[in-house]
Amino acid sequence: MDEVSTEFLAYIIGIIILIIFYIIKLPRIGANEPPLVPYTIPILGHTYNYFFNARNFFKKCKEQYGECFSIYVFGRVMTIVSRSSLNEVFINHKDFKLSLSEFLPFDMLFENISDFDKVTQLNAKLVKEITGKIDSYTSIMQKYLLEGIDKFIGDCKDPKEFLSIWELMNHIIALPMANIIVGEEVASHEDVNDTLEFYTSQPDFDYSNPKIFHYYIDVLFVLIFGSVGTTSEIITNGIFDLAGRPECLNELYEEAMIIDKECNGSITLPDVQKMKKLDSFVKEVLRHSDDTLKFLHKVTSESFTFSNGYTVPKGRRVNLYMDDVLKSKDAYGDDAEEFKPFRFVNANSSASKVDRNYAVFGGGKHACPGRFFAIHEIKLILHKLILKYNIKTKSGKIENKKYIGPISLPPKKALIFENRK
Ligand code: HEM
């Protein structure tokens, strides 16, 4: 064979391989499934829009294809579930499984754990026990939060600029978390000495068996890992939301001063409950977390049929259109898109209350059991920061979050902290 025909043959083989690959990867949609949004570029499907145009793309898809629809990303079909059906994913826990391992290599991080469901249930039980005694933890939380604020932010008589706010908040809240869960302080408080005891009193716990011992250490890390990251992200968003809105910061400062005077600087649970404006602000911060999609799940049962009649098969990735819930005009009114810090003050709707229009903590039986703890801690740290500092964005503007496709992260911009006079 001469050189030209060899080259020609290579082209033909290449094209055949591409066609076979395309046919193999062609999404197959069964009867009764949500409609697949059409796409023009084979193999790539909707991946570009998913990454670079998420907000508008999903808005348009919902307008055209309705409540549930499927898209083709990363060579696989993903079903998107909007407001009216979204809660069904949380409620039907046995049919759907949260698919965190698609983002984080959990198996590598926690190699002593094989059954994450079992660990989650154990930790959920522990967190419910801790929540029942949240008042006992308030003084420890307060002590270590103040220590963290002093250590990592300190005296800002001369204004100080901070760049990595999320990292800063992680450092500050790790202190109270670690001291509540494993610190020496815990041992001296009889009331609150039950966290480690909870693990050590499990029927299979055995100090002398390294395998079991390491398993429980991993279980503890899963709890710390899950609780610190989520809480500090919301605190960081909250600080940016305050720093860009001086009038809101001033109003919260006034509330904080009244409460601080009443309790003489030593906060208890009832004092945190009195922080109505701060609670409303925190709820608005959570509502504006700004993830278009969140909480990717996988269908674990043979198939699942939503109450709207659509069926999704086993293994299907189901992502939740959170923006559709949290910015719903039906639920929040025509100004749903606006950040209104005090919109919940007289609404009898606290930041930790689970509601199908406020799905930030999930829903149903498995809704986040740590939400009371998280909101308590978020309010406590914001209260202390608001009392101590005037906080501004360096730019003088409200800073935008960072977006990675449909996921949002806190802004990565500079903030200025200055002591209050
Ligand atoms: C603002 C911070 C937090 C957010 C936004 C958050 C959100 C969530 C969400 C969405 C779920 C899944 C619910 C479901 O599958 O229906 C969850 C589960 C869980 N969270 Fe949180 N969480 C936060 C803080 C915490 C904290 C501080 C703790 C522990 C002290 C915690 C412990 C747990 C546990 C143990 C589960 C598993 C519950 C179960 O499957 O029964 N979370 N959280």
Side-chain angles (χ1 to χ4, degrees):
M1 222 182 277
D2 62 24
E3 216 172 278
V4 178
S5 51
T6 315
E7 204 174 298
F8 181 70
L9 195 67
Y11 269 126
I12 298 292
I13 291 173
I15 289 169
I16 291 171
I17 290 174
L18 265 179
I19 292 172
I20 293 172
F21 184 66
Y22 174 61
I23 293 169
I24 291 172
K25 293 304 260 178
L26 210 58
R28 284 168 184 80
I29 297 294
N32 271 347
E33 280 202 30
L36 177 71
V37 176
Y39 56 89
T40 43
I41 309 174
I43 300 167
L44 201 62
H46 304 103
T47 311
Y48 180 87
N49 274 321
Y50 182 90
F51 265 117
F52 301 108
N53 182 27
R55 183 149 299 184
N56 288 335
F57 173 63
F58 289 110
K59 196 163 178 257
K60 279 200 181 129
C61 287
K62 194 194 163 191
E63 279 163 14
Q64 281 185 32
Y65 300 96
E67 190 47 39
C68 290
F69 52 88
S70 293
I71 57 167
Y72 188 61
V73 278
F74 314 120
R76 280 185 289 174
V77 177
M78 179 190 278
T79 295
I80 310 296
V81 177
S82 313
R83 180 171 164 249
S84 315
S85 325
L86 188 145
N87 212 35
E88 291 181 45
V89 176
F90 284 130
I91 288 173
N92 294 289
H93 212 260
K94 64 174 191 3
D95 300 300
F96 295 96
K97 192 174 170 193
L98 204 57
S99 197
L100 292 172
S101 54
E102 297 228 359
F103 305 103
L104 291 163
F106 269 98
D107 298 349
M108 282 156 86
L109 281 172
F110 305 110
E111 55 188 28
N112 299 300
I113 296 176
S114 55
D115 183 351
F116 274 92
D117 277 350
K118 199 173 149 204
V119 170
T120 307
Q121 290 328 304
L122 190 64
N123 279 338
K125 205 167 153 216
L126 166 61
V127 172
K128 281 175 193 159
E129 279 189 15
I130 293 178
T131 304
K133 293 180 176 173
I134 204 161
D135 202 15
S136 327
Y137 291 104
T138 308
S139 65
I140 302 176
M141 224 187 238
Q142 193 168 189
K143 176 181 165 197
Y144 285 99
L145 280 177
L146 285 173
E147 215 175 286
I149 292 172
D150 271 351
K151 182 169 173 195
F152 295 106
I153 305 179
D155 185 13
C156 298
K157 200 156 73 195
D158 295 322
K160 267 192 212 167
E161 180 180 324
F162 291 89
L163 259 175
S164 304
I165 306 298
W166 195 359
E167 206 180 311
L168 185 72
M169 292 308 135
N170 264 326
H171 284 310
I172 296 176
I173 73 151
L175 269 173
M177 286 286 200
N179 272 287
I180 284 170
I181 295 172
V182 282
E184 55 179 349
E185 183 73 9
V186 173
S188 62
H189 287 257
E190 234 171 73
D191 262 7
V192 295
N193 190 17
D194 44 17
T195 308
L196 286 183
E197 205 180 295
F198 179 86
Y199 293 131
T200 56
S201 64
Q202 293 305 308
D204 63 342
F205 188 86
D206 181 0
Y207 276 113
S208 60
N209 183 333
K211 220 174 149 203
I212 293 179
F213 190 66
H214 287 129
Y215 168 77
Y216 277 102
I217 289 177
D218 271 7
V219 174
L220 175 65
F221 274 134
V222 169
L223 180 66
I224 296 178
F225 187 83
S227 53
V228 172
T230 44
T231 311
S232 68
E233 181 177 357
I234 302 304
I235 295 171
T236 309
N237 281 338
I239 293 174
F240 274 98
D241 286 331
L242 274 180
R245 296 175 176 83
E247 60 306 331
C248 166
L249 181 58
N250 287 342
E251 204 161 332
L252 288 174
Y253 178 54
E254 277 169 26
E255 180 184 77
M257 278 206 304
I258 295 170
I259 290 166
D260 186 60
K261 218 169 174 183
E262 279 174 13
C263 69
N264 221 355
S266 180
I267 301 279
T268 58
L269 178 64
D271 298 314
V272 177
Q273 287 161 346
K274 277 187 215 157
M275 300 172 185
K276 298 283 180 210
K277 287 187 178 173
L278 187 58
D279 195 88
S280 168
F281 169 77
V282 170
K283 184 161 188 166
E284 193 66 343
V285 170
L286 275 149
R287 195 176 74 83
H288 280 266
S289 299
D290 269 2
D291 298 289
T292 309
L293 306 180
K294 208 175 180 184
F295 306 128
L296 179 68
H297 283 72
K298 239 182 204 168
V299 180
T300 45
S301 50
E302 255 337 290
S303 67
F304 179 82
T305 303
F306 287 96
S307 52
N308 58 19
Y310 284 134
T311 298
V312 279
K314 186 172 186 172
R316 169 65 51 80
R317 291 145 85 241
V318 173
N319 218 337
L320 311 189
Y321 189 179
M322 289 300 279
D323 215 35
D324 192 52
V325 175
L326 297 174
K327 306 283 174 57
S328 154
K329 286 197 174 142
D330 288 346
Y332 295 102
D334 285 344
D335 58 3
E337 292 280 339
E338 249 179 81
F339 187 97
K340 288 178 75 181
F342 307 122
R343 74 161 73 225
F344 301 109
V345 171
N346 294 312
N348 189 22
S349 167
S350 73
S352 53
K353 188 176 175 186
V354 171
D355 165 340
R356 60 187 291 278
N357 291 311
Y358 177 67
V360 296
F361 293 112
K365 255 190 10 214
H366 291 274
C368 175
R371 62 192 188 276
F372 305 102
F373 190 93
I375 297 294
H376 190 68
E377 186 166 35
I378 293 168
K379 285 171 75 176
L380 205 49
I381 186 171
L382 289 179
H383 172 81
K384 295 293 180 193
L385 289 171
I386 290 167
L387 276 178
K388 192 159 183 191
Y389 303 106
N390 194 10
I391 310 167
K392 294 183 260 188
T393 55
K394 191 182 178 193
S395 65
K397 298 183 299 194
I398 295 170
E399 298 290 7
N400 287 328
K401 295 189 171 64
K402 280 185 71 169
Y403 296 93
I404 304 173
I407 304 289
S408 84
L409 297 172
K412 214 167 173 1
K413 292 284 164 61
L415 291 184
I416 312 289
F417 285 69
E418 188 176 9
N419 286 357
R420 288 199 181 268
K421 304 282 179 282

